[in-house]
Amino acid sequence: MSNTSLRIVEISGPPLERGRQYGTAAADLITKAIDFYTEAFQQQTVLEWDQLRGRAERWMGLCTETAPDLVTEMRGIAEGSGRDVLDIMVLNLRGEIIYDAGFAKAPEPEERDDVDGCTSFVLTDGASGDGHMYVGQNWDWRFGAQETVMILRVVQDPKPTLIMQVEAGQIGRHGANSAGIALNANGLGGRFNDELGMPQTFIRRMVLDQAELPDALNTLFRQKPHIASNAVLSHRSGFSIDVETTPGSNGWMYPDKSGVMVHGNHYEAFMPVQLAATYRPVSVDSLFRVPQARRGLERVSTATSTGQARELIKSAMSDHLGYPESVCTHPDERRPRVRQWSTLLSSCVDLTTGDYLVTNGTPCDHNYEQIPWNLYDGPGSAHDSFNRTIAEVSL
C-alpha cells in the first residue's frame, strides 16, 4: 500500500513485459501527457502531434543501436497503453524536440519554458548533523505536466532495482538505485550543431542501470547527448560529482569543503567554447536560486536528529526569494497556461538509510512522503551482490 499520494507503479521482468506493465498501469496518465504536450508543443513549435511523431522517428535507429533493451521496454509501454511507439518516443524527447534545429522557431531565453529549471543538491562529508548522506532536487517544469508525474520502481534482476520520478511514459529522469547510485539532473539548454545525439531520458536511465560507480560515470562521459544537461552523480560511499554534459566537451566539480553541492540551470564548472562569446543563462533565476538553496542547506549541519535534518532540507527547498520563480517555484499567472512553471516534485533521498522521500507538488505546502520501499530492497543492491558473491565462493 502506498505511503504517498503520487501514483506509484512497480514493474519487473524482461524489458517488453516491464513495459507492458508500465503502459497498462499508467495508460490514463500517458493520455494526459500526450494531451498536454499536443497543446504545448503546438503553441511553441507550431507542429501538430503527427508531425512530432514523424520527427521523433529519426531517433529510433540511434536509440535501438545504443540501448536496445530500453527501446524494447518503450515498445512495451506503447502496447500496454494502446499507443504507437512513436507517441511514447515523443514523450521521451520533449526537451530535444524543443531544442532541435529542425523545430520551428528558437525559444527566447527570457521565456524560460525550454529547460528543466531544477535545483539539485548533495549533502555529504558531515554536511548533515545526523551524519547521513542526502541527495535530491526540486524538479521544476511546466505546471500542466503535474498530473502526469509518477514514481516508477523497476525490478530488473540482475541489474540494480531503480526508483525514479518520471512523467508518465518516460523510461528515465531522476532517481536512485539499489547499488547506492543516485542521479539528479538539471537542464542547461541549447545545442551546438545539427548532429543527432542521445535523448536525456535514455542517458539518465542508462546511468541508473549501472551497478558500479565507474560504469555510471563512464556512461555520462561516453554517451553524446543531443542537448546540454547537468548531472549530479552520487554514491552511498559519500562520493559525489557534478558533470555538466554537452554535445561537445564536459565540465565537472565536487562538493565544497563543507560537503554541500548545489546546481541550477547555468554553467558553474566550466564554459563551453561554443557558448563563451555570447552565453546568457537560459534561466536567470538560477543565479540566485543556487546560492539561496546552498545557504539554507548549510543549516542542516546543525541538526541533532534525522527528523530535524529532513525538516531543514525541506525548509531550504521551500525558499521563496524571487517568487514565483524561486527555489520553490510557483505558477506565474501572467503566462499562458501551458507555459506556467512550478516545482512538480521535491525529492530527498537518504543514501545512508535508503529512505526515498518526495512531495507531490511544491515543498512549501506539501510534506515529504516516504515511498513504500527502501532503496536497498530488491535485486541488485550492494547487500544482494555481496550475498551472491559469498554463494558463488561457497560453490
Side-chain angles (χ1 to χ4, degrees):
M1 186 173 181
S2 174
N3 294 325
T4 173
S5 53
L6 284 163
R7 175 82 59 89
I8 295 182
V9 173
E10 181 181 28
I11 61 177
S12 62
L16 187 63
E17 179 57 28
R18 291 198 304 263
R20 287 169 176 159
Q21 295 169 18
Y22 182 170
T24 300
D28 59 326
L29 300 187
I30 290 171
T31 296
K32 288 183 179 180
I34 291 173
D35 289 345
F36 171 71
Y37 283 116
T38 296
E39 180 182 359
F41 285 156
Q42 199 282 328
Q43 183 177 115
Q44 186 165 353
T45 68
V46 201
L47 295 175
E48 302 293 337
W49 187 260
D50 284 345
Q51 294 174 293
L52 296 171
R53 283 162 34 101
R55 299 295 181 94
E57 190 169 10
R58 63 195 291 249
W59 272 273
M60 290 298 294
L62 174 63
C63 292
T64 300
E65 179 182 355
T66 306
D69 284 356
L70 296 184
V71 173
T72 299
E73 186 174 300
M74 200 169 60
R75 292 186 185 280
I77 296 171
E79 289 184 21
S81 61
R83 296 285 178 171
D84 186 87
V85 68
L86 290 177
D87 292 325
I88 307 304
M89 180 60 97
V90 172
L91 296 178
N92 280 275
L93 285 166
R94 50 114 162 126
E96 287 75 11
I97 282 173
I98 291 172
Y99 267 113
D100 189 75
F103 284 88
K105 63 177 184 178
E108 294 297 325
E110 64 268 19
E111 289 181 345
R112 193 201 160 191
D113 58 1
D114 48 8
V115 61
D116 284 287
C118 310
T119 307
S120 297
F121 70 88
V122 175
L123 297 176
T124 188
D125 295 331
S128 176
D130 66 352
H132 294 196
M133 180 178 184
Y134 291 98
V135 300
Q137 69 184 96
N138 278 8
W139 176 14
D140 303 341
W141 183 236
R142 303 186 188 199
F143 182 60
Q146 175 74 59
E147 293 183 352
T148 75
V149 173
M150 53 181 276
I151 301 297
L152 182 66
R153 185 175 190 250
V154 185
V155 181
Q156 50 181 358
D157 191 31
K159 293 180 180 179
T161 300
L162 312 180
I163 298 174
M164 301 180 291
Q165 54 260 23
V166 299
E167 294 172 63
Q170 294 180 346
I171 57 170
R173 190 148 291 281
H174 322 119
N177 72 23
S178 58
I181 294 172
L183 181 73
N184 296 98
N186 315 67
L188 290 173
R191 291 190 58 196
F192 298 167
N193 53 49
D194 293 334
E195 294 181 20
L196 199 67
M198 287 296 289
Q200 286 298 319
T201 52
F202 277 76
I203 293 175
R204 295 172 187 181
R205 172 63 180 276
M206 291 165 68
V207 170
L208 289 172
D209 276 349
Q210 305 304 319
E212 303 294 340
L213 176 63
D215 296 331
L217 190 58
N218 190 60
T219 300
L220 281 177
F221 276 86
R222 301 307 175 201
Q223 292 299 322
K224 180 180 179 179
H226 193 72
I227 57 175
S229 181
N230 186 72
V232 184
L233 182 67
S234 305
H235 186 264
R236 66 184 300 183
S237 63
F239 175 82
S240 186
I241 183 173
D242 183 283
V243 185
E244 294 173 348
T245 67
T246 82
S249 58
N250 292 345
W252 56 91
M253 64 183 191
Y254 303 94
D256 61 24
K257 292 181 179 179
S258 69
V260 177
M261 183 162 63
V262 179
H263 203 289
N265 305 108
H266 63 281
Y267 288 93
E268 300 180 47
F270 86 129
M271 179 56 61
V273 295
Q274 295 90 339
L275 304 179
T278 60
Y279 178 69
R280 298 180 184 182
V282 70
S283 299
V284 294
D285 49 280
S286 176
L287 299 176
F288 60 79
R289 280 189 284 115
V290 168
Q292 195 71 4
R294 181 181 290 114
R295 187 176 297 113
L297 290 167
E298 286 172 349
R299 301 189 183 104
V300 183
S301 63
T302 66
T304 58
S305 67
T306 294
Q308 186 180 21
R310 294 174 181 180
E311 281 300 316
L312 287 169
I313 291 171
K314 181 178 184 294
S315 177
M317 303 313 287
S318 299
D319 189 86
H320 283 150
L321 176 67
Y323 182 94
E325 293 188 350
S326 40
V327 173
C328 181
T329 300
H330 291 256
D332 187 342
E333 295 183 357
R334 296 172 298 178
R335 294 173 175 241
R337 183 184 63 84
V338 294
R339 291 193 173 189
Q340 292 180 4
W341 280 73
S342 183
T343 297
L344 304 183
L345 175 151
S346 182
S347 62
C348 175
V349 181
D350 188 333
L351 288 182
T352 303
T353 66
D355 292 338
Y356 201 114
L357 309 170
V358 294
T359 65
N360 185 8
T362 49
C364 67
D365 51 10
H366 294 84
N367 292 323
Y368 277 124
E369 302 171 333
Q370 187 168 333
I371 68 167
W373 300 281
N374 187 279
L375 183 63
Y376 302 123
D377 291 342
S381 68
H383 179 71
D384 181 62
S385 298
F386 176 78
N387 286 341
R388 291 189 187 203
T389 301
I390 294 299
E392 289 171 0
V393 170
S394 299
L395 291 175

